[in-house]
Amino acid sequence: MNEPAAGIRVPPPPRPGDTVAVVAPSGPPDSERLARGIRVLEGLGLKVVVGAHVLDRDRYLAGSDAGRAADLRDAWCDPAVSAVLCARGGYGATRLLGHLGPLDWDAMRAAGPKALVGSSDVTALHSAFAVELGVASWFGPMPACSTISDPEGPEPRTFENFTAALAGAPPTITGDRVIVPGEVTAPVTGGNLTLLAALCGTPYALSARGRIVLLEDVAEAPYRIDRMLTQLLQAGALDGAAGFVLGSWVGCGDPYPVLEELLAPLGVPVVAGLPIGHGKPQFSVLLGALGAIDAKSCSLAYSTGGADKAR
């Protein structure tokens, strides 16, 4: 398993008047949702540019691999752009990490750090950006998804958390279940369980050693959660984890017997029920930042002022 470059950098937050780019590295966004999400971003005082291929279609993908990779590369390398937001998840980000639609890591590395925002399938990009670019990135809501772009407007708690987090003042996130008590402070990693399992055996495989691991998923039966966690455990991806933060499990039945059975024996703090992932509200977490689990309050706090110096 490759380790991310030493010294993860926290990108500066976008400010009113800054330009942000919206790209679609995974599934095709709904055009009406996308338009509403862009208006929400503009309402924050941001200037929004949209990737040339965002509304392309190729089966279950937002256009060709080459087009999606070009949009992401061009947005990241544009010196006028301070943040890159992924329109939605779905499937397709992993295809950009291999020979099908390779990203130009050298050019993106030379462009310097900026904020990447997205969740679900974007987990693959979070993992790759940590390894290749050494940059912390935001696991959070996306402009063409329901928490931001419903016709009645953004989900209020999601939007309040999102704007506070991007402004550099992330509130503590509280859950409702303690599986293993304890306290720990460590860099945060992880994301969507399905994607973390899919990255096993790649250069971007999860390395949990010395880190707090975020896990969440949607529409996965408990036996599939069991299978994916077992894969991570047998691959050694969870060896040395400092703790676990379990987000939403929408449409997953009751996953907690499996989660407790497989994670509790690791003997590190595990808190659950945090509104991170696919549910409403959907709070934001800066992957790569220093986080703190406090089981007494069943919470995760994290700082945007520091970075993972161990990588």
Side-chain angles (χ1 to χ4, degrees):
M1 268 181 279
N2 283 18
E3 292 287 329
I8 290 288
R9 295 171 292 174
V10 175
R15 302 296 187 189
D18 283 359
T19 297
V20 301
V22 175
V23 300
S26 303
D30 177 84
S31 60
E32 293 184 2
R33 280 197 175 278
L34 179 62
R36 288 196 295 266
I38 289 171
R39 288 195 293 271
V40 169
L41 296 175
E42 291 173 339
L44 296 174
L46 300 169
K47 301 174 184 177
V48 182
V49 296
V50 180
H53 300 280
V54 163
L55 294 179
D56 288 358
R57 297 290 185 273
D58 181 5
R59 298 165 293 165
Y60 38 77
L61 302 167
S64 69
D65 296 311
R68 299 193 328 277
D71 278 0
L72 180 55
R73 177 202 65 218
D74 291 349
W76 195 264
C77 293
D78 185 344
V81 170
S82 65
V84 178
L85 291 84
C86 299
R88 58 157 294 191
Y91 169 73
T94 52
R95 293 171 62 107
L96 305 187
L97 307 181
H99 68 282
L100 293 172
L103 293 168
D104 187 342
W105 293 119
D106 288 339
M108 295 171 70
R109 203 173 290 118
K114 58 186 66 178
L116 174 73
V117 183
S119 55
S120 194
D121 191 61
V122 183
T123 296
L125 298 180
H126 291 307
S127 297
F129 276 43
V131 171
E132 298 287 355
L133 306 180
V135 64
S137 52
W138 290 98
F139 189 91
M142 298 173 283
C145 291
S146 61
T147 50
I148 297 296
S149 62
D150 270 355
E152 59 271 23
E155 197 280 322
R157 292 170 295 173
T158 297
F159 191 59
E160 180 182 9
N161 176 274
F162 177 71
T163 54
L166 284 189
T172 297
I173 304 173
T174 302
D176 60 15
R177 181 186 300 243
V178 175
I179 293 176
V180 179
E183 299 178 6
V184 66
T185 299
V188 183
T189 189
N192 179 263
L193 175 60
T194 296
L195 269 296
L196 295 172
L199 290 171
C200 280
T202 75
Y204 311 113
L206 172 67
S207 175
R209 186 169 299 281
R211 297 169 175 84
I212 293 169
V213 181
L214 166 67
L215 297 174
E216 63 83 31
D217 220 315
V218 62
E220 296 289 355
Y223 81 90
R224 292 175 61 87
I225 293 170
D226 185 327
R227 181 166 63 200
M228 290 185 285
L229 269 180
T230 298
Q231 180 180 8
L232 292 175
L233 287 163
Q234 293 180 346
L238 301 183
D239 289 357
F244 291 88
V245 170
L246 305 181
S248 62
W249 302 90
V250 176
C252 294
D254 181 5
Y256 288 111
V258 167
L259 293 167
E260 183 170 355
E261 178 187 16
L262 296 180
L263 296 179
L266 300 180
V268 297
V270 182
V271 295
L274 284 76
I276 306 167
H278 286 81
K280 291 184 179 182
Q282 181 187 11
F283 289 177
S284 303
V285 174
L286 184 60
L287 300 177
L290 196 65
I293 291 175
D294 180 359
K296 293 179 181 177
S297 57
C298 191
S299 66
L300 171 71
Y302 64 96
S303 168
T304 60
D308 178 356
K309 300 301 183 184
R311 291 190 174 195

